[in-house]
Amino acid sequence: MIEVEVKVKIDNKEEISKKLKELGFKYIKKKFQEDIYFNGIDRDFKKTDEALRIRDEDGNFFITYKGPKLDNISKTREEIEVKIEDKEKMRKILKKLGFKEVPPIRKIREIYKKGDIEASIDEVDSLGTFLELEKPVKSMEEKDNALKEILTILKALNISNDNIIRKSYLELRGSQ
Amino acid sequence: MIEVEVKVKIDNKEEISKKLKELGFKYIKKKFQEDIYFNGIDRDFKKTDEALRIRDEDGNFFITYKGPKLDNISKTREEIEVKIEDKEKMRKILKKLGFKEVPPIRKIREIYKKGDIEASIDEVDSLGTFLELEKPVKSMEEKDNALKEILTILKALNISNDNIIRKSYLELRGSQ
């Protein structure tokens, strides 16, 4: 699966939340997420633009691989995610295999949905507040249309394309 | 967790099954297991005596890391296992990370239990029939007693210690 994804920094959370609702987005729920990232064994994921992470989402655990970004505007990339039953054991397996752990990224994520577009307002520990707009697509052909759709929403929210951030929270923290 | 484990090749399945029951083992169930093994990224698991595998057990999936063997008699080693929700996605993640897959090992496993000792009669595709006796222990201190206990059962089954095989099914097939 390919995740077409755009991220912007915001400083007006309440306003964005109100506007999302005006645009037809529905508030779904608030989640606490802790992401444990790992660096590669034979290559530096910072250089190859990949990611390997264990996510703890309110006590549900996932392992996720993210491939390199696929265009120059968005954070669109291949994403493969599997639900797992135990966080600490998976963490131990990855360490035994030789992956190097970096300090976890913690955030509170408010999720809104309109059709298959997901909007997340993230309050990220020590980094601030961000909006992510995301749409899953099945093929590279659908990617461009999905990106256009997301940029239209961004415009309707009065957010300029100049505010788009392609860096991950990990890169923004500068500790990978 | 440490798995104290001894394996022997057998050619008299019915007899062993009968003797296990006479020794107080209870027949639990029969399972179909398909094990997909992977070789290391930065090291050859054949040389480091490690293993990474995805197990499909009647449609339940697990990822398992096994550390090097801890003594010269048995197959005792550290084992870390996590239940996962999807086999194909996990397989894809491991391949993307750079692990190399080898052809799967398939077997039908009949499980017997007596207390915390598990006896498995394995009919392994193209390799034949084997008996595995296994006891999980928490520390290295308990390891030696568990091994003695298992060797006593082997003796009661009229199986000589000379028949003990320390190689994995993967090594026996010679295709790792």
Side-chain angles (χ1 to χ4, degrees):
Chain A
M1 183 155 71
I2 298 165
E3 291 282 346
V4 180
E5 189 182 319
V6 166
K7 178 161 77 182
V8 288
K9 193 161 195 329
I10 56 170
D11 48 15
N12 48 351
K13 191 188 152 180
E14 300 313 319
E15 200 186 317
I16 295 290
S17 166
K18 202 178 145 218
K19 276 189 194 156
L20 280 171
K21 285 173 196 158
E22 285 168 9
L23 290 172
F25 280 83
K26 269 197 182 142
Y27 172 72
I28 305 293
K29 60 181 161 184
K30 194 183 268 200
K31 291 172 180 174
F32 171 75
Q33 294 179 336
E34 181 187 68
D35 290 337
I36 305 167
Y37 283 91
F38 295 84
N39 203 347
I41 293 176
D42 57 338
R43 55 196 192 266
D44 185 352
F45 287 166
K46 204 175 172 179
K47 282 181 191 152
T48 58
D49 192 24
E50 296 168 283
L52 175 65
R53 113 188 142 199
I54 297 173
R55 172 165 284 178
D56 178 343
E57 188 172 272
D58 294 332
N60 292 301
F61 314 122
F62 305 87
I63 181 166
T64 310
Y65 167 84
K66 295 183 179 197
K69 288 185 264 298
L70 297 170
D71 65 42
N72 296 317
I73 307 169
S74 69
K75 287 178 75 243
T76 303
R77 36 169 59 190
E78 189 188 9
E79 199 171 312
I80 314 169
E81 188 162 83
V82 180
K83 196 171 192 302
I84 55 175
E85 212 172 69
D86 191 292
K87 174 173 75 166
E88 289 310 323
K89 281 185 187 170
M90 194 69 234
R91 198 171 180 171
K92 224 172 151 184
I93 289 179
L94 294 180
K95 282 178 168 180
K96 288 275 182 188
L97 292 170
F99 294 100
K100 283 153 231 81
E101 190 178 320
V102 296
I105 303 271
R106 294 186 184 89
K107 62 172 171 290
I108 291 164
R109 169 166 280 188
E110 263 183 38
I111 296 174
Y112 300 77
K113 276 202 175 173
K114 186 186 175 184
D116 56 355
I117 298 184
E118 192 172 288
S120 307
I121 300 180
D122 290 346
E123 292 179 85
V124 188
D125 264 18
S126 80
L127 288 179
T129 308
F130 299 82
L131 168 70
E132 280 196 355
L133 292 165
E134 188 175 313
K135 182 177 169 137
V137 297
K138 276 176 193 154
S139 66
M140 291 297 282
E141 291 70 39
E142 300 171 56
K143 189 178 86 61
D144 292 346
N145 280 332
L147 184 54
K148 268 182 213 157
E149 204 179 334
I150 283 176
L151 294 177
T152 308
I153 296 167
L154 214 59
K155 208 174 173 184
L157 292 168
N158 281 331
I159 298 170
S160 156
N161 284 359
D162 297 342
N163 293 336
I164 292 175
I165 297 169
R166 293 182 74 239
K167 285 189 173 175
S168 66
Y169 294 132
L170 200 60
E171 288 165 321
L172 288 173
R173 199 181 54 183
S175 67
Q176 193 184 18
Chain B
M1 182 155 73
I2 298 165
E3 290 281 348
V4 180
E5 191 182 317
V6 166
K7 178 161 78 182
V8 288
K9 193 159 195 326
I10 57 170
D11 47 15
N12 47 351
K13 192 188 151 182
E14 301 313 318
E15 200 187 318
I16 296 289
S17 165
K18 202 180 146 215
K19 275 189 196 156
L20 280 170
K21 286 173 196 156
E22 285 168 9
L23 290 172
F25 279 84
K26 268 197 183 143
Y27 172 71
I28 305 294
K29 59 182 161 184
K30 194 183 268 199
K31 293 173 178 174
F32 171 76
Q33 294 179 336
E34 181 188 66
D35 291 337
I36 306 166
Y37 282 90
F38 295 84
N39 203 348
I41 294 175
D42 58 339
R43 56 196 191 265
D44 185 353
F45 286 166
K46 204 175 169 180
K47 281 180 193 153
T48 58
D49 192 25
E50 295 168 285
L52 175 64
R53 116 190 138 196
I54 297 173
R55 170 165 286 179
D56 177 344
E57 187 174 271
D58 294 331
N60 292 301
F61 314 123
F62 305 87
I63 182 166
T64 310
Y65 166 84
K66 295 183 179 196
K69 288 185 265 296
L70 297 171
D71 65 42
N72 296 317
I73 306 170
S74 69
K75 288 178 74 246
T76 303
R77 34 170 58 190
E78 189 187 10
E79 198 171 314
I80 314 170
E81 187 162 81
V82 179
K83 197 173 191 300
I84 56 175
E85 211 172 69
D86 192 292
K87 174 173 74 168
E88 289 310 324
K89 281 185 187 170
M90 195 69 234
R91 198 170 178 172
K92 224 171 150 183
I93 290 178
L94 294 180
K95 280 177 170 183
K96 288 274 182 190
L97 292 171
F99 294 99
K100 283 151 232 86
E101 191 179 319
V102 296
I105 302 270
R106 294 186 184 88
K107 62 173 171 288
I108 292 165
R109 169 167 281 187
E110 264 184 36
I111 297 173
Y112 300 77
K113 275 201 176 175
K114 186 186 175 182
D116 57 355
I117 299 185
E118 193 172 287
S120 307
I121 299 180
D122 289 348
E123 291 180 84
V124 188
D125 264 18
S126 82
L127 288 179
T129 308
F130 299 82
L131 168 70
E132 281 195 358
L133 292 165
E134 189 175 312
K135 182 179 170 138
V137 296
K138 277 175 192 152
S139 66
M140 292 296 283
E141 289 71 41
E142 299 172 55
K143 191 178 85 61
D144 292 344
N145 280 332
L147 183 55
K148 266 182 214 159
E149 204 180 335
I150 283 177
L151 295 178
T152 307
I153 294 167
L154 215 58
K155 205 172 174 186
L157 291 168
N158 280 332
I159 298 170
S160 154
N161 285 1
D162 297 341
N163 292 336
I164 292 175
I165 297 169
R166 293 182 73 239
K167 286 189 172 175
S168 67
Y169 295 133
L170 199 61
E171 288 167 320
L172 287 174
R173 198 181 56 182
S175 67
Q176 192 184 22

